């Protein structure tokens, strides 16, 4: 009366499908977390953004697995590779944002950082004009307020400039990751097919 069910033949397909559907929400969640981090970043990029970016990269590398390599431009492998590379590039850009803001050698775009010191000096002059006479502050307090306004203006300027160029760095990282993963998976697939064909 009990007939054997054909579950054994369909188990691999179901497991692959389950793995694919389990990977997709994970990558989407990581991408949303990275976008939320970028959207909530106000003012100067702080080192917590680097921590978040590195953490998201660790999650991507640990829990997201690429499917088997298949040739062609309309394959599920290529679609997942594009999504994977873009998410990794986004996380790399968020991790690099504070470094780009502070290290000129990492962000050597000509003409992008030069205007920030001038803006800081202008804000310092404004603070001096606003606080010198009406507030009646002493020279030490006035100098402290002027320096704080200058540093804040420079940090905001560098943060805005960095944010404008972050997509370039993220896209570059995505291209490098995509090419590297595609080349590695392609070479591994060819290496596996050689013993089978021989």
């Amino acid at each position: 009366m009990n007939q054997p069910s054909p579950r054994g033949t369909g188990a691999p397909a179901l497991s692959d499908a389950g793995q694919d559907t389990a990977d997709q929400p994970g990558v989407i969640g990581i991408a949303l977390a990275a976008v939320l981090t970028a959207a909530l970043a106000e003012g100067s990029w702080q080192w917590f953004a680097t921590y978040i970016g590195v953490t998201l990269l660790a999650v991507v590398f640990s829990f997201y697995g690429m499917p088997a390599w298949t040739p062609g431009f309309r394959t599920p492998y290529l679609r997942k590779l594009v999504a994977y590379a873009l998410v990794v590039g986004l996380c790399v850009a968020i991790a690099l944002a504070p470094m780009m803001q502070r290290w000129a050698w990492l962000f050597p775009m000509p003409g992008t950082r030069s205007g920030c010191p001038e803006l800081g000096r202008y804000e310092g002059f404004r603070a001096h004009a606003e606080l010198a006479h009406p507030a009646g502050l002493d020279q030490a307090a006035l100098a402290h307020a002027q320096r704080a306004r200058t540093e804040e203006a420079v940090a905001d300027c560098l943060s805005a400039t960095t944010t404008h160029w972050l997509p370039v760095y993220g896209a570059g990282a995505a291209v490098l990751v995509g090419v590297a993963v595609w080349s590695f998976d392609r070479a591994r697939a060819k290496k596996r097919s050689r013993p089978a064909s021989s």
Side-chain angles (χ1 to χ4, degrees), residues 9-51:
T9 58
L14 292 175
S15 62
D16 293 341
Q19 183 180 2
D20 293 344
T21 56
D23 286 342
Q24 291 173 0
V27 173
I28 294 173
I30 293 170
L32 291 178
V35 172
L36 183 62
T37 302
L40 295 179
E42 297 180 357
S44 176
W45 281 95
Q46 302 299 329
W47 291 109
F48 190 61
T50 300
Y51 177 80

Side-chain angles (χ1 to χ4, degrees), residues 59-150:
V59 172
V60 172
F61 294 150
S62 299
F63 296 102
Y64 184 77
M66 291 294 298
W69 180 85
T70 52
F73 293 98
R74 297 183 179 180
T75 59
Y77 171 82
L78 190 60
R79 292 196 299 269
K80 291 193 175 185
L81 177 62
V82 171
Y84 176 82
L86 289 175
V87 171
V88 171
L90 182 61
C91 296
V92 168
I94 290 177
L96 289 180
M99 306 175 195
M100 292 171 57
Q101 180 178 330
R102 290 161 175 82
W103 300 342
W105 63 268
L106 185 61
F107 185 44
M109 301 298 180
T112 56
R113 307 171 65 97
S114 59
C116 294
E118 284 79 3
L119 180 61
R121 284 193 290 270
Y122 171 73
E123 290 296 330
F125 294 149
R126 286 187 57 188
H128 185 275
E130 292 174 1
L131 301 177
H133 301 290
L137 299 176
D138 56 6
Q139 293 298 324
L142 180 61
H144 178 74
Q146 189 175 3
R147 184 171 59 253
R149 184 79 66 86
T150 300

